[in-house]
Amino acid sequence: MTEFDDAFDPLTIGRRVRSLRQRLGLTLEEFAERIGKAPSQVSVVENGRRELRLSELQQYARALEANVAELLDAAELSEREHLEIALAKLQTTARYQRLSLPHIPARKSLSDDTLHAIVGLFREIERMDTERAATPEQARRANTELRAIMRARSNYFEELEAQATDLRAAISMPRGPLPQRGAAELASHLGFSLHSVPDLPRSTRSVLDRAHHRLYVPRAQREDGDQRTVVLQALAAQVLEHQAPANYADFLRQRVETNYLTGAILMPEQSCIELLAAAKQERQLSIEDLRDAFGVTYETAAHRFTNLATAHLDIPVHFLKVHESGTISKAYENDAVQFPADALGAVEGQLVCRQWSARRVFEVEDHFNPYHQYTDKPSGTYWCTSRVQQDALGLYSVSVGTPFEHVRWFRGRDTAHRYTSKCPSGACCQLPHPELTERWATSSFPSARMPSTMLAALPTGEFPGVDLRELYAFLERHAPTSE
């Protein structure tokens, strides 16, 4: 997995289409006729205002006498085209829009030097803003950028899928659910011995001793406790050759890669695709069935579904993990749903509308069966399936949703639950009833429960939050006395 590649950006692809079209000497009208579309449709694509699906990319590439790889190759763009793309992107940012400056089209009359100056000045403003920002803001920016990478790739990382396939093949378990012994065999294949210990440092989930090829995991509270995920996440870091993160963005990237590879090992791609394709054919797609087929948690199954739904089923989706307080813990979307977000575009910690299934599910007494709901939102109508789960911090809901046009593939589409959300309008669910406001506004004074992390800086150190003194003392206690 690499940093965001402009090749996945609609604006970059649009410029490549225009460049290749002009190289062939085709007018907009001639090219549109060649692919059987209206010139206005091609113009929208060339200006980066619409994404192309894979089948359309192939159609455009053939018509341009190229292949898809050439169409996605941003390196082939001229310096002028890169500047025009940068200018267009800068003007869509919230920072630029807050300045209330006029839109600057990249006309031919605008010289390269002028473009360089505008783009350079604005990037310097961005750099200064980032430099002045508090550490939590930097973290939120990094998280927002990482979510953009995931969206651009439909949360599907082919290189990680290939690594998972190779690892499963190496232990002769290419298909189906991974038994607990499979995690142990994979550790042995990678040259590590497993050690369940009662004194693992509290700031860690597992510890790799790369010098002595040992993997330490916490001793399970129950003999039948499932330690596969903890073991696989640690081994994934070894396979991916992760080193101490250079910054918080690198730390987040490593976590995404580790979790993705772990999910792909637990739930191999080909086996998942076969199950999901058959379910789609029967119009019975279900996160529960995916969970039960591979013996994983509902959250793991939901995450894995987002990896494969768009890439293999052509279904855009969104994912939410929401605390019972209504705040977002994790989120992903490539279906144009609009999550609540702060000025930096970060969604974690934001309040979800009370009308969304992610919060409605907490009011349902039946937590054995999944909860399904249609929600009319400002960006369209969406169908969601939600479940409640519990961890050390309380109750959470895990939800997977899709636009109305794709609900026909899912079990639970016949639900009668339907609500309307007008958020972020305050009139939707955030404002109290006027009569109650009149009665209590001047006679109440609550003592707010302030989140402990609100004013705190993020943990420091090579591995954010890890107590290195405790960690190194632990390793010294458990290191073998002789090589």
Side-chain angles (χ1 to χ4, degrees), residues 17 117 273 282 366 403:
V17 169
I273 293 170
E282 297 294 325
D366 178 9

Side-chain angles (χ1 to χ4, degrees), residues 121-181:
L121 285 171
F122 197 80
R123 283 177 173 165
E124 180 62 13
I125 292 173
E126 284 185 319
R127 187 195 66 78
M128 293 172 64
D129 278 357
T130 302
E131 194 172 76
R132 289 196 300 264
T135 304
E137 274 78 19
Q138 291 177 340
R140 286 176 13 237
R141 285 191 180 97
N143 208 24
T144 300
E145 291 168 1
L146 184 57
R147 202 169 64 250
I149 296 171
M150 296 164 68
R151 184 190 308 115
R153 300 185 66 168
S154 295
N155 205 22
Y156 177 74
F157 296 91
E158 188 174 5
E159 64 276 21
L160 297 181
E161 298 286 356
Q163 286 181 293
T165 299
D166 291 343
L167 289 169
R168 294 271 310 224
I171 57 172
S172 302
M173 296 183 186
R175 303 175 64 81
L178 184 79
Q180 188 146 322
R181 68 178 176 85

Side-chain angles (χ1 to χ4, degrees), residues 245-262:
N247 48 47
Y248 198 74
D250 196 31
F251 172 72
L252 291 177
R253 176 190 59 80
Q254 289 184 3
R255 285 179 66 91
V256 167
E257 291 180 346
T258 297
N259 290 337
Y260 191 111
L261 185 56
T262 297

Side-chain angles (χ1 to χ4, degrees), residues 38-59:
S40 59
Q41 291 177 292
V42 177
S43 178
V44 166
V45 170
E46 289 192 350
N47 287 305
R49 293 197 294 270
R50 190 176 81 78
E51 296 183 11
L52 292 176
R53 296 189 178 188
L54 179 58
S55 59
E56 292 177 309
L57 281 170
Q58 294 169 335
Q59 179 190 21

Side-chain angles (χ1 to χ4, degrees), residues 5-7 9 11-13 15-16 19 72-90 106 112 115-116 119-120 123:
D5 186 348
D6 279 342
D9 177 67
L11 190 57
T12 301
I13 293 173
R15 288 296 191 275
R16 283 292 291 146
S19 177
L72 298 177
D73 190 359
E76 290 295 322
L77 292 172
S78 67
E79 183 181 8
R80 170 76 185 199
E81 288 170 325
H82 279 295
L83 284 171
E84 291 178 356
I85 290 171
L87 178 62
K89 287 183 177 179
L90 289 173
D112 289 2
L115 276 175
H116 266 297
V119 171
R123 283 177 173 165

